[in-house]
Structures are given as structure tokens and as C-alpha cells.
Amino acid sequence: MSASPLFLTSPKQLLLDLYKAYKDARRHKRSKQDQLRFERYYERNLIALRDAILARRYKPGPCKCFIIHDPKMREILAALFRDRVVHHLLYNYVYKFLEIQFIRDSYSCIKGRGTHDGIYRMEEKIRQESCNYSRPCFILKLDIVGYFMHIDRKKLLSLCKLMLAQYKDKMDFELVEYLLETIITSNPLEGCIRVGAPSEWDGLPDKKSLFKSPPGKGLPIGNLTSQLFSNVYMDAFDKYMYSISNEQYGRYVDDAYVVSRSKASLRKIIPLAKTFLKENLDVDLNMDKVAIYSAYRGVEFLGSYLKPFRKYVSNRCLARMNKRVVHLYKKKPLDVNNSVNSYLGITSHFAAYNIRKKWIDGPLAFSFQYGYYKKGILRYRLVQAYRLHVTNKLLSICR
């Protein structure tokens, strides 16, 4: 029999927590049909969720499954909005207790430690090992075969409970334990609705499909909790790699690297990493993608291409942005403003002035009819007339 929690979450407090989770879940989702349906009667829906959780009757609903190409072919299982609210509820309860246990160089789904931080940390480690590029330096890149599709859900649940057990006195552990078990052990394929023709799955490797995963394995890509759980599952591997690489290691989801002055020492790490992953987590390295790169010739990581003393946008990331930029002329001024500043913001982290110049001379030339560029083509602003138009429109909506 499990130990009794030191305190129980009251119905009022749980409703407040669900309301905060609801506001978090709807961020950037305000135009989605599922969100709008939930929002129409959000008070009633939140109370129903609260009562179901308190009575331990909550069950995740069926997911929608579809294929995206952004840029790789991926299978996405999108949870219902009500389930996304519960995902955010659990995330808000546990993330701060899990985050402090992760190594510094675990970058995914951690505030302040996204892709740009991962790129910066890799560059910092390369400079440290190479004495600011004055000595030979090499980078070992590691990749896991179908990572999300091969996570053992029972093992993940035990790892989550183990990492949170030491903080029992700081949370309603019985409630957290219930939410963990409900979310992790539920079969995401149960009642799953496929969106699109079956032919859309043609060409998707078996290792990247939950429909082909072994029983009891696999997490749906896209859920907030899946991203957090991926760090929990890899935490032991991260700490092991930290210990054998003198902390010259980093990981973003299933892409990991080790920096060293010795290519021979990196070769020795490969079988150690492979053995640890197989014996402890039952996942495999993708040996086709395991490679050692010279820091002087450059290495690609998280959409960047790092070379001595400079960073470039990777060819794959640039191709994806170029594909989208050519269609911006179809959008409304406000959407053009938001999209253009998004792309300019991405390129601002790299040596990419010529890329921006090529855009405004080509596919973004139309944007001058709505606004202008400033700060070395790093910022796009709508002209006064369009800003007033947008402001008035927003005010009318609020009324």
C-alpha cells in the first residue's frame, strides 16, 4: 500500500490549477476548432475535468493521427484539447522537480534551454576543447533509432516515480502518481482516428510509426508530456555520458554529441554508449548516423552549421525557410509582419545577412508595400497606417 500524501489538493485548488493549465494549453491554439469548442463552455468543461480527476475517472480521449513533412516525414498523434489541458496540469506539477535533476546540457523542453542554447553550448565546448580553435578537435554525433516509438512506457513510469519520490513532501504525490499512470500507460492508438488517406503513410519507416511499435512501447510525438518524458527516460544515459566524457556532452531529444581532442577516445565511446542504451533503456544507436566530424571542417547541429568563429544556417533549415517565404505574399499584412520577423529572428543568430538580402530582393519584395526593414534587415515593421488598422481591428474584436 502506498504511503499517504502529506496533503491533498482541494477541489477548489484543483480547479484553479486546471484553469492555469487551460490558459497554457490554449496559447498559440486560439484558432483551432477543438480549442474553440472547449472554450465555448470552458467553465463547465473544466469542472467536469476536475470532477473526473478527483473521482479517478479521467481517461484520455482518442487521438487524431496524421502525417507531416516538416522537413522529415513524421507520424503525429494529436491529443484532444481537454487532454492537452491535463498534460499541462501534470507538467506544471512536476517539471520544476524534474528539471533540477537533469544535466545542464539536456536542451529540449526546458525553459531557457532550447535550440539556440544547445547551439551555443556546443560551440562553447568546441572552443574549450580546441583552446579556441588552436588545437585539433572532433565531435562525435549520436542518434537513436526511432526514439519516441521505442520508449518502454512501464519503465518510463517507474523512472518518473523514482525521480519524483524524493519530493513527496512538496506535492500531492498521490494525485501526481495517478496522472502519471493514466497518461503514460494509456495506449495512444486506442480509438485513434486516422486523418488522410492510408497512402499518406507510404514511405514512413516502421521504426517511426507507433502502429509498428512493439506492445507497451512508444509515445506520441507532439504532446507536451512526451517531450518532458523523453528527458526523464534519457536522464541516466545523460549522466553516464557526462561521466565518461568529462562533461563534454550534450543532447537534444535523440540527437547527442561528444566533443574531444582525441578521435580515438571518441571511437571508444561509441560501443560504450551502444551497450548502455541497449541494456538499460532497450533502445539502439542508429549506426548509419553515428559519425565523427572535425571542428575545423564544421558540424551541423539543431539547424546550424558551426565552423571556426562563425555560425551558419544549415542547408536543410534554410531550404525549409525558403520554401515558406515564397508563399508569404498570400497572407494578410499582420500575418506577413509576424512571419517575416520570425524568420529574421532565426537568422539573427547566424552569419546570414546575404540570405536576408536575397529574401527582400526576391520573394519578400512585396513586403515593402506594407512596411519597412531596419537594423541591418533584422526587424520588419508595418507602416503607421497598417499598424493603426491592426490596432483598431483588435479593439473592435475586444468590444
Side-chain angles (χ1 to χ4, degrees):
M1 186 174 178
S2 60
S4 299
L6 296 181
F7 61 90
L8 293 173
T9 303
S10 67
K12 181 180 178 180
Q13 184 59 50
L14 181 55
L15 188 60
L16 290 173
D17 294 342
L18 278 167
Y19 179 68
K20 181 182 184 306
Y22 158 68
K23 290 198 295 183
D24 293 339
R26 74 179 186 176
R27 191 176 295 124
H28 309 303
K29 303 287 185 183
R30 299 300 297 272
S31 62
K32 302 293 184 181
Q33 290 298 317
D34 193 23
Q35 192 280 142
L36 291 173
R37 282 193 294 269
F38 189 96
E39 185 172 19
R40 187 176 182 182
Y41 304 106
Y42 78 93
E43 292 177 331
R44 181 193 305 172
N45 291 328
L46 290 178
I47 290 172
L49 262 181
R50 188 270 313 267
D51 293 344
I53 291 172
L54 286 175
R56 302 301 187 255
R57 292 185 288 101
Y58 166 74
K59 296 291 182 185
C63 298
K64 285 187 178 180
C65 182
F66 52 91
I67 296 293
I68 64 168
H69 300 265
D70 189 25
K72 297 178 181 178
M73 188 178 185
R74 296 185 189 277
E75 179 185 80
I76 303 295
L77 272 76
L80 295 174
F81 184 78
R82 68 183 284 275
D83 296 327
R84 290 179 180 272
V85 172
V86 179
H87 294 169
H88 278 271
L89 176 71
L90 176 61
Y91 179 87
N92 291 339
Y93 281 155
V94 305
Y95 84 91
K96 61 184 178 182
F97 302 117
L98 295 174
E99 181 181 320
I100 60 176
Q101 299 182 65
F102 298 148
I103 65 168
R104 170 61 183 85
D105 292 288
S106 174
Y107 310 118
S108 173
C109 199
I110 300 174
K111 292 179 180 179
R113 282 151 64 177
T115 55
H116 294 305
D117 180 65
I119 295 167
Y120 168 77
R121 291 285 293 179
M122 175 188 261
E123 185 181 35
E124 189 178 62
K125 292 176 188 297
I126 291 173
R127 283 177 175 265
Q128 180 181 345
E129 282 294 297
S130 66
C131 295
N132 211 21
Y133 294 102
S134 65
R135 294 181 181 179
C137 182
F138 303 92
I139 303 97
L140 168 65
K141 294 284 295 295
L142 302 171
D143 185 81
I144 298 173
V145 178
Y147 174 53
F148 276 98
M149 308 306 163
H150 291 84
I151 291 176
D152 187 307
R153 294 198 288 270
K154 285 187 178 179
K155 186 171 188 62
L156 171 63
L157 179 61
S158 65
L159 289 172
C160 287
K161 289 181 179 180
L162 182 64
M163 293 182 71
L164 291 171
Q166 58 188 302
Y167 298 101
K168 281 185 177 182
D169 60 332
K170 300 181 184 297
M171 68 177 82
D172 185 342
F173 190 71
E174 195 275 332
L175 173 61
V176 168
E177 197 172 34
Y178 164 72
L179 292 174
L180 283 171
E181 290 181 0
T182 302
I183 292 172
I184 293 176
T185 61
S186 64
N187 182 3
L189 298 180
E190 187 175 340
C192 178
I193 303 169
R194 288 206 195 198
V195 179
S199 59
E200 292 185 16
W201 272 257
D202 293 347
L204 182 70
D206 290 353
K207 64 184 180 182
K208 294 188 176 183
S209 175
L210 270 176
F211 293 95
K212 303 295 177 63
S213 296
K217 291 192 175 183
L219 294 178
I221 296 176
N223 288 350
L224 175 67
T225 50
S226 295
Q227 298 173 49
L228 178 64
F229 293 153
S230 72
N231 283 335
V232 172
Y233 202 71
M234 292 292 286
D235 183 62
F237 177 71
D238 291 340
K239 289 169 179 171
Y240 172 71
M241 293 298 290
Y242 240 38
S243 67
I244 66 174
S245 67
N246 195 28
E247 298 189 6
Q248 300 303 310
Y249 163 86
R251 180 186 58 82
Y252 188 95
V253 190
D254 59 346
D255 292 324
Y257 69 85
V258 181
V259 180
S260 176
R261 299 175 190 172
S262 169
K263 188 182 286 189
S265 66
L266 292 179
R267 289 197 187 101
K268 292 178 182 178
I269 286 175
I270 296 173
L272 295 176
K274 184 177 177 65
T275 301
F276 186 95
L277 287 170
K278 189 63 181 175
E279 292 182 353
N280 295 276
L281 303 177
D282 198 23
V283 293
D284 293 306
L285 280 181
N286 187 345
M287 298 307 295
D288 293 335
K289 293 186 177 181
V290 172
I292 298 175
Y293 300 88
S294 167
Y296 294 94
R297 293 190 176 185
V299 60
E300 184 178 348
F301 188 59
L302 302 182
S304 71
Y305 197 80
L306 299 180
K307 298 200 76 173
F309 306 108
R310 58 201 187 278
K311 300 191 291 285
Y312 297 107
V313 181
S314 70
N315 290 336
R316 187 168 58 182
C317 182
L318 180 58
R320 187 162 69 252
M321 288 193 291
N322 284 337
K323 186 177 179 180
R324 293 177 177 177
V325 162
V326 297
H327 297 292
L328 289 183
Y329 73 92
K330 302 175 184 177
K331 295 190 174 185
K332 297 177 181 179
L334 181 59
D335 294 329
V336 170
N337 178 70
N338 294 338
S339 296
V340 169
N341 279 312
S342 174
Y343 296 134
L344 296 182
I346 292 172
T347 59
S348 68
H349 297 272
F350 307 98
Y353 176 82
N354 288 336
I355 293 173
R356 297 191 294 270
K357 185 71 166 58
K358 188 176 179 180
W359 281 346
I360 67 171
D361 289 341
L364 291 182
F366 78 93
S367 62
F368 286 101
Q369 63 182 303
Y370 305 133
Y372 57 94
Y373 294 87
K374 56 186 296 186
K375 296 183 179 179
I377 323 180
L378 289 175
R379 180 80 183 272
Y380 176 70
R381 296 201 66 182
L382 294 174
V383 295
Q384 186 69 18
Y386 279 104
R387 291 205 298 274
L388 287 172
H389 171 71
V390 170
T391 302
N392 292 333
K393 190 172 182 180
L394 290 174
L395 288 173
S396 67
I397 293 173
C398 291
R399 294 193 192 103

